[in-house]
Structure formats: C-alpha cells, structure tokens
C-alpha cells in the first residue's frame, strides 16, 4: 500500500481549522475528489458525488484538549463497498496550525497515481489555506 503525504501551515488556530475540515459539506470547497454533497439522512454520513461515482462519506475527529490544539480528522469514504480513509493531523504552532495530510492508496496502485495524488493533495491544502486565511 502506498502512502501519500502533504503538509502546509495555516495562520489560523487548530480549533478553526478543525471546525472547517470536520464538516463533510465543506469538502467540495477545498478538495478535487468530492464534487458535491447531498443531504445526510442521519446527520453523520453523506451521499457524495465523486469522479468514481456516488459514494458515502463521513468524518471522525478526536477531541481537542483545551489549549492543546492537537487533533486528527479522518475522512472516511465507502467506495464501491470498500472503506478508504484520508487523515488530517492538526498541530498548534506559533504561527497557527501545521496540517499534515495523509492518503493511503489501494494496494497495487501504479506509481504515476501516487505522483498525481501528491500533486492533488498539495493543491487541496493550498486551497484550504486560502479559504481559511481569507476567512480571517
């Protein structure tokens, strides 16, 4: 299994970053994979349109201890009966938040897919930074 990672610093608190990325309806605003999000039947899992067709997506977060600012947001997707995950680790820094983005590609994924995935992740984090820092 190939693991792809990307990192960026965002000049916002970890609580602000977590508050935005933990909401499934926000995914299309900063990711390329999630095109649109439908209405959730249970307030947790959402139908999502993607390049791979319709999937189901939900996000789990670790509690953030007061003042600590460390958190992990796990984006879970059920894609054609297989669960896949992407993880955003958020860590407080002097300037805001360090965001570490990790995606594990399915076994047997060709090397060019990993290169494309890393490029896409860097662009997604750049969009997330612009959205959150512009929201001041």
């Amino acid at each position: 299994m190939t693991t792809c990672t990307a990192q960026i610093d965002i000049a916002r608190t970890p609580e602000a970053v977590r508050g935005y990325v933990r909401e499934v309806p926000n995914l299309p605003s900063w990711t390329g994979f999630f095109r649109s999000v439908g209405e959730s039947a249970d307030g947790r899992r959402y139908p999502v349109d993607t390049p791979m067709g319709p999937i189901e997506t939900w996000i789990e977060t670790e509690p953030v201890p007061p003042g600590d600012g460390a958190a992990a947001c796990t984006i879970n997707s059920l894609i054609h009966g297989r669960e896949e995950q992407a993880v955003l680790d958020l860590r407080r820094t002097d300037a805001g938040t360090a965001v570490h983005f990790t995606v594990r590609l399915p076994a047997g994924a060709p090397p060019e897919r990993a290169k494309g995935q890393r490029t896409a992740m860097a662009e997604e984090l750049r969009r997330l930074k612009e959205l959150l820092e512009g929201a001041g």
Side-chain angles (χ1 to χ4, degrees):
M1 187 173 292
T2 301
T3 299
C4 299
T5 60
Q7 188 272 328
I8 201 163
D9 293 320
I10 297 178
R12 295 291 305 267
T13 66
E15 294 82 5
V17 176
R18 178 179 175 260
Y20 191 80
V21 300
R22 73 178 177 194
E23 299 296 332
V24 172
N26 291 339
L27 289 171
S29 69
W30 65 275
T31 69
F33 183 72
F34 301 96
R35 293 179 174 164
S36 65
V37 176
E39 293 295 320
S40 173
D42 64 4
R44 182 171 155 3
R45 293 177 178 244
Y46 291 81
V48 179
D49 181 45
T50 73
M52 298 178 77
I55 66 170
E56 183 179 42
T57 297
W58 65 100
I59 298 176
E60 298 171 338
T61 60
E62 293 178 1
V64 177
D68 181 33
C73 295
T74 303
I75 303 167
N76 301 283
S77 294
L78 192 58
I79 303 171
H80 307 298
R82 184 182 68 235
E83 189 174 326
E84 293 190 18
Q85 295 180 329
V87 178
L88 291 153
D89 283 313
L90 313 175
R91 300 288 176 233
R92 186 178 307 280
T93 66
D94 291 340
T97 304
V99 180
H100 298 270
F101 192 13
T102 303
V103 173
R104 288 173 190 81
L105 297 178
E112 59 271 9
R113 180 163 175 208
K115 182 179 179 183
Q117 182 67 48
R118 287 183 187 98
T119 300
M121 291 167 68
E123 176 61 22
E124 290 170 345
L125 288 178
R126 185 194 62 73
R127 277 197 304 268
L128 180 64
K129 178 182 178 80
E130 287 178 359
L131 280 166
L132 293 177
E133 289 182 355

